[in-house]
Amino acid sequence: MKTSIYATLAATFLALPALAQDAGDPAKGEKEFRKCKACHMIQSPDGSDVVKGGKTGPNLYGVVGRKAGTEEGFKYSDALIKLGEAGEVWTTEDLEHYITDPNKYVEEKVGDKSLKTKMTFKMAKNQADVVAFLAQHSPEAGDAPAAGDAPAADAPAEAPAETPAAPASN
């Protein structure tokens, strides 16, 4: 009896670091992002560089909580445009799956094998860390829906709420 209690306690304590790691470590993610900066930068709207990087891929500032395929000034593949049209808003969970295998992710979400992304890199490990780092630089990350909350591709879109017109300034 004592042995099984000790074994259970040991297994529980050994599993705790693995459970904590699921959320990702932004400090480790910053180091891992070095692999990404050949194609991507993280630049805030005021123009200050968080991470100087390439322009082959879109700026990843604010990617968590952003609708897929919508970063202004970037020419997206049809795959990412379709993903955005299907209502995809990047959650941390979705980004982890996307960077693991971009084309497979889009195929699963959109259901079209012919759609291919421009992203050829597949991250084999530490995805949660990279996404945690990106989430730190995504002001809308708290507003991102949970992975299961994104609207289905065939769900009707809600009508936008009417907002009163702002007073004209002279």
Side-chain angles (χ1 to χ4, degrees):
M1 177 81 171
K2 273 186 174 180
T3 305
S4 67
I5 291 172
Y6 289 130
T8 302
L9 288 173
T12 302
F13 286 114
L14 291 173
L16 287 176
L19 292 174
Q21 188 179 19
D22 285 347
D25 181 339
K28 289 180 183 176
E30 183 174 9
K31 291 176 185 170
E32 283 294 315
F33 190 79
R34 291 179 190 149
K35 297 173 186 172
C36 310
K37 73 180 195 171
C39 296
H40 296 278
M41 70 173 108
I42 301 176
Q43 187 179 69
S44 68
D46 69 5
S48 58
D49 289 322
V50 176
V51 175
K52 285 188 177 196
K55 295 182 182 179
T56 304
N59 177 8
L60 295 180
Y61 185 87
V63 69
V64 179
R66 179 193 305 156
K67 188 175 183 179
T70 60
E71 173 65 15
E72 202 165 307
F74 186 76
K75 185 169 171 38
Y76 284 94
S77 64
D78 289 342
L80 268 288
I81 292 169
K82 293 273 189 202
L83 194 60
E85 288 173 351
E88 177 75 12
V89 173
W90 291 119
T91 65
T92 54
E93 183 179 286
D94 285 336
L95 279 169
E96 284 181 44
H97 293 290
Y98 177 77
I99 65 177
T100 301
D101 190 340
N103 289 322
K104 182 179 176 186
Y105 178 83
V106 171
E107 179 186 331
E108 290 172 358
K109 284 288 191 166
V110 180
D112 186 344
K113 287 184 178 185
S114 69
L115 292 173
K116 301 295 179 206
T117 71
K118 294 179 184 179
M119 187 164 150
T120 58
F121 181 77
K122 295 178 183 179
M123 185 167 271
K125 58 183 182 176
N126 304 319
Q127 297 91 325
D129 296 332
V130 170
V131 173
F133 173 66
L134 292 172
Q136 280 189 328
H137 303 290
S138 296
E140 304 298 318
D143 298 335
D149 293 345
D154 59 350
E158 289 184 30
E162 288 189 34
T163 55
S169 60
N170 291 335

